[in-house]
Amino acid sequence: MKSDTSQKLFEEACRYLVGGVNSPVRAFKSVGGTPLFITRVRGSHVYDADGNEFVDYVGSWGPAILGHASPEVVRAVYEAMKDGLSFGASTVREIELAKLVRQAFPSVELIRFVNSGTEATMSAIRAARGFTGRNKIVKFDGCYHGHADYLLVKAGSGAATLGVPDSAGVPSEFASLTLVARFNDLESVKKLLEQNKDQIAAVIVEPVVGNMGCIPPASGFLEGLSDLTRKEGALLIFDEVMTGFRVALGGAQALYKIQPDLTCLGKIIGGGLPVGAYGGRKEIMEKVAPLGPVYQAGTLSGNPLAMSAGIATLAELKKEKVYARLEEKGSFLEGGLRGIASRCGVPIQVNRVGSMFSFFFSHDPVTSADSARKCDAKRFKKLFHLLLEEGIYIAPSPFEAGFISLAHSEADLDLTLRAFEKGLTHVMS
Ligand code: PLP
């Protein structure tokens, strides 16, 4: 694998961009080496500046569920472009996308489009605080909800990768309003709610964690959260920025049959362009401006190109058997990985929900941030580079989920498993 051009570009990038990147995990800090400079993406493949081609499991960190640059989405954006790039005013496409979201997520009675997942969670929490008149929130160790000040507490993903669980620049007064519970541990939530009676505005959770690697909810965990929050008069916010339209058309809330009060979306609903959204029960969302006193706005919110990419993506996802096909691919990959690990005698845990998956170098099941942190990151680092050499691109961190798209072919999955087998043999030697 050649990397001279990426290396040169990275050196140049470092002279102009902070750390050479515009989002920290892209910097390969936890795996070492030079980040790939991607020049083109198509279907299940990404191509870099050195002419290398990879089967991609990063999927632009989630949005690329149809595969990269799906012709339907590209065409829709191209058509939309002819009408102009930004209106800063109401447009029919916003209604269309809102309808598509509502059909898949009945709990989202009213929605507001924003430009990123960070904006979605930040605004949902503001709405929850405005509605309940309470200030504190509960989040879970290892869950990432974007980079709003008070959410950068035990935030998994990039923060865990870089070993900075709490960010500098966040006043302790802000962080003190964020209480941290353990994922898959209802007792830890119950305790916080009891200790902070009538003070908790909301519990926010990734219903399937994707930012400590993929960690599914234990049976009864999400139901328990729903019961506990209802009894305490706190709101339940599902951060489905990653899981929305990923683990099922209706997200984790459809898969596990739980109705949260508020839902945050992003990634897939923008079809590769910058979009986020938050929405939920009408009476809560009616608190948001212009209907209510909770202020939230956006120059580019509801951008016509982003809306059209989202509409085209969701239209594809509504087609028959889409999620069955994703499940089939996921199950094939999971079975293959397990089989190889067992043949190679490597202790590996494979976690998967539909087309979202992770493998962990661990003897024990990974069910929480604590257990994810115990995994062997050195082995991951070694395997990451071996997989790259074999033409497989996974996220450059042991704390990220992998994503399979509809464009991943049998040949892609076979190649992945062969690479994995070769890599694991080396890692263990
Ligand atoms: N919430 C979750 C669950 C995420 O995975 C992410 C990003 O990865 C975010 C929120 C933040 O989204 P964005 O990066 O679009 O701000």
Side-chain angles (χ1 to χ4, degrees):
M1 182 188 139
K2 283 189 291 181
S3 60
D4 299 359
T5 314
S6 274
Q7 266 171 28
K8 274 197 203 108
L9 287 169
F10 189 55
E11 279 160 27
E12 192 182 358
C14 285
R15 291 205 289 276
Y16 301 99
L17 299 166
V18 181
V21 294
N22 282 307
S23 195
V25 189
R26 295 180 196 167
F28 275 36
K29 281 248 176 185
S30 76
V31 291
T34 308
L36 304 179
F37 273 73
I38 304 296
T39 49
R40 195 165 65 85
V41 291
R42 187 73 83 247
S44 56
H45 287 215
V46 299
Y47 303 82
D48 75 4
D50 285 283
N52 301 304
E53 177 176 354
F54 303 91
V55 176
D56 174 40
Y57 291 97
V58 181
S60 190
W61 305 90
I65 191 165
L66 303 180
H68 291 290
S70 140
E72 290 79 9
V73 179
V74 171
R75 201 175 309 123
V77 174
Y78 183 70
E79 287 303 317
M81 229 155 71
K82 293 182 194 165
D83 296 334
L85 302 184
S86 171
F87 305 158
S90 296
T91 152
V92 175
R93 294 190 184 98
E94 292 167 305
I95 310 175
E96 252 182 85
L97 188 57
K99 276 189 194 163
L100 286 167
V101 172
R102 167 86 170 270
Q103 281 161 13
F105 287 75
S107 74
V108 178
E109 293 172 344
L110 280 178
I111 195 166
R112 166 66 55 81
F113 289 113
V114 290
N115 302 295
S116 68
T118 295
E119 271 187 73
T121 55
M122 185 179 79
S123 311
I125 284 171
R126 188 179 301 146
R129 284 175 165 155
F131 180 75
T132 58
R134 300 171 176 186
N135 287 339
K136 291 184 182 170
I137 56 162
V138 173
K139 78 176 282 293
F140 292 88
D141 185 7
C143 282
Y144 178 66
H145 303 292
H147 60 86
D149 281 345
Y150 48 87
L151 287 169
L152 280 180
V153 179
K154 300 267 183 196
S157 194
T161 299
L162 297 173
V164 279
D166 303 318
S167 168
V170 176
S172 56
E173 288 85 350
F174 292 7
S176 70
L177 294 176
T178 304
L179 312 174
V180 180
R182 274 167 50 95
F183 191 73
N184 279 333
D185 179 353
L186 281 177
E187 275 308 308
S188 71
V189 183
K190 205 167 159 199
K191 215 157 116 193
L192 289 176
L193 292 178
E194 279 167 7
Q195 287 167 350
N196 296 274
K197 198 130 195 55
D198 301 330
Q199 296 174 62
I200 308 285
V203 173
I204 183 166
V205 66
E206 287 182 75
V208 175
V209 184
N211 286 292
M212 240 10 230
C214 173
I215 304 181
S219 160
F221 177 65
L222 298 175
E223 289 88 334
L225 285 186
S226 179
D227 289 346
L228 286 173
T229 46
R230 196 173 328 109
K231 278 188 201 131
E232 175 48 27
L235 303 184
L236 179 60
I237 305 177
F238 270 14
D239 178 353
E240 299 230 39
V241 166
M242 196 182 275
T243 55
F245 295 93
R246 166 61 65 181
V247 297
L249 188 70
Q253 55 196 266
L255 193 63
Y256 299 103
K257 302 189 173 56
I258 309 289
Q259 284 240 329
D261 299 293
L262 291 172
T263 298
C264 303
L265 294 165
K267 299 193 190 262
I268 289 174
I269 62 160
L273 293 185
V275 181
Y278 66 105
R281 268 169 46 205
K282 199 161 175 256
E283 57 177 329
I284 304 168
M285 291 305 290
E286 280 175 347
K287 294 284 180 212
V288 177
L291 294 181
V294 175
Y295 194 70
Q296 184 273 309
T299 300
L300 292 176
S301 296
N303 172 268
L305 303 194
M307 295 293 105
S308 65
I311 293 164
T313 302
L314 301 198
E316 288 305 302
L317 291 175
K318 275 177 70 177
K319 290 184 177 165
E320 240 180 274
K321 300 220 172 98
V322 159
Y323 288 89
R325 277 167 55 209
L326 287 167
E327 171 61 29
E328 219 174 275
K329 292 174 198 293
S331 159
F332 178 80
L333 194 65
E334 177 186 350
L337 293 179
R338 284 184 194 282
I340 291 165
S342 129
R343 276 203 300 286
C344 297
V346 185
I348 277 194
Q349 303 294 323
V350 185
N351 285 359
R352 180 181 70 84
V353 180
S355 57
M356 185 174 159
F357 71 98
S358 288
F359 61 86
F360 299 91
F361 285 99
S362 166
H363 284 279
D364 304 315
V366 176
T367 56
S368 66
D370 292 339
S371 45
R373 282 191 207 103
K374 283 190 198 135
C375 295
D376 191 333
K378 281 200 191 110
R379 280 188 178 157
F380 177 89
K381 182 175 168 177
K382 219 165 152 189
L383 183 64
F384 171 82
H385 288 288
L386 291 163
L387 288 176
L388 265 192
E389 288 289 336
E390 296 298 317
I392 308 298
Y393 183 47
I394 61 171
S397 158
F399 302 118
E400 299 289 349
F403 300 105
I404 302 165
S405 77
L406 286 164
H408 281 82
S409 65
E410 234 177 274
D412 290 329
L413 299 176
D414 283 338
L415 183 77
T416 307
L417 291 176
R418 281 202 301 278
F420 201 81
E421 182 143 26
K422 205 166 160 188
L424 268 195
T425 314
H426 272 79
V427 165
M428 301 311 286
S429 63

